[in-house]
Amino acid sequence: QDLGLRKSRTSVQAKPCFETGCFVTISIMQSVAVNTSFVTRTAGTAKTGVRAVSLPARRSPVAAFAVRARRAAIGRTSLKCNAAVAAAADPEPPSVDMSSVALSGLEGQALKINSWPTKSEVLNSIPPECFKRDTAKSLMYAAISTALTLGCGALAYFTIPMTMAYWPAWLAYGFVNGTIATGCWVVAHECGHMAFSDNKFIQDAVGYVLHSLLLVPYFSWQRSHAVHHAKTNHLTEGETHVPKVKGENGTSSQKRKEIMGAPLYGVLRLITHLGFGWPAYLLAGVTGGPVRGKTNHFLPFMGDQGKHKLFPGQWEGKVYASDVGIVAAVGGLVYWASVCGASQVALLYGLPYIGVNLWLVLYTWLQHTDVDIPHYDTDEWNFIKGALNTVDRPYGPLLNFLHHGIGSTHVAHHVNSAIPHYHAWKATEAIKKAFPEHYLYDPTPIVPAMWRVATKCIAVQKNGDRYTFAQ
């Protein structure tokens, strides 16, 4: 925008800088052509600059003083002008009605953000060394998780009798070793994100073996999880834990809660999500993006086969390659049961398997869902909004060790999923320092946070320029 300065001879001009209430007063004693500040719009941000000043070859002292005065005036008002220009060109989005929103430990922080950095700005805030992969270090962490899992299983085999009288001990074992084995799942998850090694063969070999042993179709999941990262918190194109909409597909869930009451409904929801959520997602795309329909991670021809096909092109073949690993793993379990009995397989493998599923669903659920975490439709969504609406939570030193910090460094993981977990802590601190108003950390302990999400995050409704959970 032009401040209004033009050729003048021995004149005094006072022109308002729009929106700011500031005036720039300049005396020009000689005919001087001055091009004033200009504004360009790039990538959603305003940039203000000053064009070259055209002066006669011989400049009087008074004219020189006038130019210096003008430059100083513009310098003093540049910040206010920038803000005014941004506001005029990109008006404030509709305000969020906070009275209709419950608050988490974030205290509505995510709903107060109306301006966003670009993806490159966030990436540039992360030290370059955070993106470097160390194959030896990655293999060490894979070995640690695998050894701990096998060691816990061996300890249970030699110390806990396989009788009904010891069922409480076996349930405890299932939860403990499921918690430990989740570390193997996270390592394979890192392989799928190409954050494990510069050697693609080693990377995919480790990921394929570990995920297949946990009955996860490696390449199929790699593709769907990449979509999850690409469309995080997108209301229709997201993948996993996409919320239902009030008045549309969320009506039945809200009525069920009203009939059952919040406590009973919360218990039922925790059982269905944590106990059956993972196989339901793999087999029928439950909680996946509605635009894709009922997908299947073993049969690539299921679900939408058009624009939003989950497994397009070469991914169809990779789905079948994943199936080979699952068939081999299931065959191994059947052989084990034929030799040692089904009860041994159920206790030593089945119970920890359920524990792993519980943890991976819980992580994904809590990192992207809470009462004051928004979702966006196509018109308002962009990548960085989705990434920075991810939440880090306090899982504590033990779980962060066993699970390689996946729940406490999840924001950095969504900003760039190729960051190895052993660098994610440093990347997290960098993001937190550079963008403190955008970085989300909820100090609520995990169990209360889980209960709040299960009982209050049922369906979203339009609220300003985003969608928030209806209460």
Side-chain angles (χ1 to χ4, degrees):
Q1 300 294 329
D2 198 320
L3 294 179
L5 297 175
R6 286 293 183 263
K7 284 188 178 182
S8 172
R9 183 179 299 277
T10 316
S11 62
V12 177
Q13 297 183 6
K15 295 291 182 178
C17 176
F18 70 97
E19 302 293 340
T20 66
C22 300
F23 285 79
V24 180
T25 303
I26 299 176
S27 296
I28 304 179
M29 303 301 292
Q30 181 178 346
S31 179
V32 179
V34 181
N35 288 330
T36 57
S37 68
F38 66 96
V39 176
T40 59
R41 296 290 299 174
T42 58
T45 61
K47 294 184 179 179
T48 302
V50 179
R51 291 196 181 102
V53 177
S54 175
L55 294 173
R58 297 178 66 183
R59 179 188 303 166
S60 71
V62 176
F65 172 79
V67 173
R68 289 196 298 271
R70 177 186 174 279
R71 289 173 176 169
I74 291 176
R76 287 192 298 271
T77 60
S78 62
L79 291 179
K80 293 181 180 179
C81 288
N82 279 343
V85 171
D90 193 10
E92 286 285 322
S95 59
V96 173
D97 178 12
M98 297 299 292
S99 65
S100 64
V101 179
L103 297 181
S104 68
L106 295 169
E107 298 181 349
Q109 178 186 349
L111 301 178
K112 300 171 185 176
I113 302 172
N114 288 319
S115 62
W116 300 86
T118 64
K119 181 180 180 180
S120 61
E121 286 173 338
V122 180
L123 289 174
N124 288 338
S125 72
I126 301 173
E129 59 269 24
C130 291
F131 300 94
K132 295 181 179 179
R133 292 164 290 209
D134 186 326
T135 303
K137 184 176 288 188
S138 295
L139 287 171
M140 177 191 72
Y141 283 110
I144 289 173
S145 292
T146 302
L148 288 174
T149 300
L150 295 176
C152 186
L155 183 64
Y157 175 77
F158 288 112
T159 60
I160 307 176
M162 292 185 184
T163 63
M164 285 298 297
Y166 286 86
W167 68 264
W170 280 109
L171 287 180
Y173 157 76
F175 179 76
V176 170
N177 208 19
T179 300
I180 295 172
T182 301
C184 296
W185 197 99
V186 174
V187 168
H189 158 268
E190 193 148 290
C191 293
H193 279 299
M194 295 181 286
F196 188 86
S197 172
D198 290 331
N199 186 310
K200 193 174 184 301
F201 176 80
I202 294 176
Q203 184 167 255
D204 283 340
V206 172
Y208 186 88
V209 170
L210 288 179
H211 262 177
S212 295
L213 290 173
L214 294 171
L215 302 185
V216 178
Y218 175 70
F219 292 113
S220 307
W221 165 86
Q222 183 184 46
R223 163 61 185 171
S224 65
H225 196 63
V227 175
H228 160 67
H229 273 256
K231 296 290 184 177
T232 303
N233 283 34
H234 193 299
L235 195 60
T236 57
E237 297 180 31
E239 186 66 15
T240 74
H241 299 289
V242 177
K244 297 180 178 180
V245 179
K246 182 180 180 180
E248 298 177 16
N249 59 352
T251 302
S252 60
S253 297
Q254 289 180 306
K255 288 183 177 180
R256 195 176 301 116
K257 177 185 174 182
E258 293 174 2
I259 295 172
M260 299 177 65
L264 183 58
Y265 180 79
V267 171
L268 176 64
R269 202 154 181 242
L270 287 174
I271 292 173
T272 55
H273 268 62
L274 303 183
F276 305 99
W278 178 240
Y281 171 66
L282 291 180
L283 294 170
V286 175
T287 78
V291 296
R292 296 181 192 89
K294 292 187 176 182
T295 58
N296 185 297
H297 281 66
F298 306 96
L299 303 173
F301 51 82
M302 300 290 287
D304 179 78
Q305 297 298 300
K307 175 182 177 182
H308 299 290
K309 185 176 182 179
L310 187 56
F311 304 110
Q314 64 174 349
W315 287 102
E316 286 192 13
K318 289 191 172 185
V319 170
Y320 293 123
S322 302
D323 293 348
V324 172
I326 300 303
V327 170
V330 171
L333 293 173
V334 171
Y335 177 75
W336 180 9
S338 67
V339 174
C340 302
S343 60
Q344 184 179 113
V345 176
L347 293 174
L348 287 174
Y349 178 89
L351 291 177
Y353 171 75
I354 295 172
V356 171
N357 292 352
L358 180 155
W359 277 112
L360 68 92
V361 171
L362 181 64
Y363 273 121
T364 311
W365 199 12
L366 293 190
Q367 304 321 123
H368 305 289
T369 309
D370 215 325
V371 289
D372 49 2
I373 294 295
H375 287 70
Y376 297 88
D377 59 20
T378 300
D379 292 336
E380 297 295 336
W381 180 91
N382 64 43
F383 174 84
I384 208 65
K385 283 183 181 179
L388 293 181
N389 271 302
T390 300
V391 187
D392 283 344
R393 296 187 183 274
Y395 285 91
L398 179 59
L399 287 177
N400 280 333
F401 167 72
L402 292 174
H403 299 165
H404 312 294
I406 190 65
S408 297
T409 62
H410 213 70
V411 174
H413 175 62
H414 267 263
V415 168
N416 190 304
S417 58
I419 297 174
H421 75 269
Y422 40 83
H423 292 320
W425 296 100
K426 188 172 185 177
T428 296
E429 289 303 314
I431 295 170
K432 182 178 179 180
K433 182 179 179 180
F435 304 98
E437 71 279 12
H438 295 91
Y439 173 73
L440 300 183
Y441 174 82
D442 187 344
T444 306
I446 299 307
V447 173
M450 178 178 66
W451 182 249
R452 180 176 63 226
V453 169
T455 56
K456 294 185 177 182
C457 296
I458 312 302
V460 295
Q461 61 185 357
K462 191 68 180 288
N463 192 341
D465 66 333
R466 61 205 80 182
Y467 285 77
T468 58
F469 284 97
Q471 301 303 319

